[in-house]
Amino acid sequence: MLGETRRKTELLKETEDVTVIDQVVGADDPENNGEYMTEKNPCKTSSLDPEVKQYRYENGRRYHAYSEGLYWAPNDDKQNEQLDIFHHVYTLVLDGALYLAPIGENPERVLDLGTGTGIWAIDIADKFPNTRVIGNDLSPIQPTWVPSNCSFEIDDFTKPWEHILNSFNFIHGRALHGSVFSWTCLYKEAYAALKPGGWFESVETTIGFYIDDDEGQPTAIGSTTSISQWWMEDALFVNMEENIFKVPIGSWPKDPKMKNIGRYNLLNLRSFRKEGFTLSLFTRFLDWTADEVYVLLAGVRSELRSKDNNFYFKMYVVYGQRPFE
């Protein structure tokens, strides 16, 4: 699995010259019955507008240009490597699975919201070669060498969706925190875009860390009604289920699986994620200097390295189904 992640990380480094994004479903699609989520034509241009790649550069990092400022993390190679490492952490937590929703063996169409480097969408396309997989993002950082059943689009999913109503069997959103103005609206858009019987899965982690004396129980912590589940209920989803997992940071757990997860998660956080999480937010909104942020992060990395701190965060996997009626 890690070898596959490394292979795809190398592919992602080829994306600086991306000028073409595969066209997504449009008016000539045989499944289009004239129903659209907005009055706009949902056809995306097959060539990128020049301003999409007129990136914003700030404190030595690169940020997206389309809907500038909406997403707080960089989109440069350093951050993209972190995204792929974190993808590996996610799959380790789920014992190699890419999702938990019972979507069946042959989903026709799958949408990945905020696809980032596209690694989840690519893995899904490999798993289901007869499934059409679409990933959208604000940045054209996805590779050009992908399975033939996988394509990407530049889109802002916080705006009214332009996809055809009732057109997807599975919609997946992961690590969207900090970039969603209204989760209620997002869930309702997903509901409308799903075919009756289709599934929506939302995967998010807590921003804050936890610490306790537990040496690392390896599976789900339990299930309680979270805010995500309330939003799904409000959007009229049914058959909802929530799983909450402990994700350790560092090699402190005794359980071998959790220890392995913790090692990769420590790499994810110490080497890449903390700067990407912090730099733009602290300098843009708190008026810190970049040097002040780096001093803070040096202290954070020191705390993360300490074997006395049994840090972990929680990962919530919530899914629900659009009713058949």
Side-chain angles (χ1 to χ4, degrees), residues 150-170:
C150 181
S151 61
F152 300 104
E153 62 181 9
I154 303 304
D155 198 10
D156 181 354
F157 62 74
T158 67
K159 297 178 180 178
W161 290 17
E162 298 179 344
H163 290 287
I164 303 168
L165 291 170
N166 313 325
S167 60
F168 290 100
N169 303 92
F170 183 38

Side-chain angles (χ1 to χ4, degrees), residues 180-234:
V180 178
F181 295 112
S182 171
W183 287 92
T184 299
C185 290
L186 176 67
Y187 281 41
K188 289 181 178 180
E189 293 276 16
Y191 182 97
L194 283 170
K195 293 181 178 181
W199 294 88
F200 173 49
E201 182 166 296
S202 177
V203 184
E204 298 294 334
T205 62
T206 55
I207 301 299
F209 294 167
Y210 296 83
I211 186 170
D212 58 27
D213 295 328
D214 186 356
E215 283 297 319
Q217 295 299 321
T219 56
I221 296 173
S223 181
T224 58
T225 302
S226 69
I227 294 177
S228 295
Q229 200 162 337
W230 293 338
W231 289 327
M232 281 203 176
E233 291 175 351
D234 188 52

Side-chain angles (χ1 to χ4, degrees), residues 1 85-97 257 260-262 264-265:
M1 184 68 183
I85 292 174
F86 204 18
H87 172 76
H88 186 60
V89 173
Y90 278 116
T91 54
L92 287 175
V93 172
L94 298 182
D95 293 319
K257 171 190 170 181
N260 189 42
I261 292 171
Y264 281 106
N265 200 23

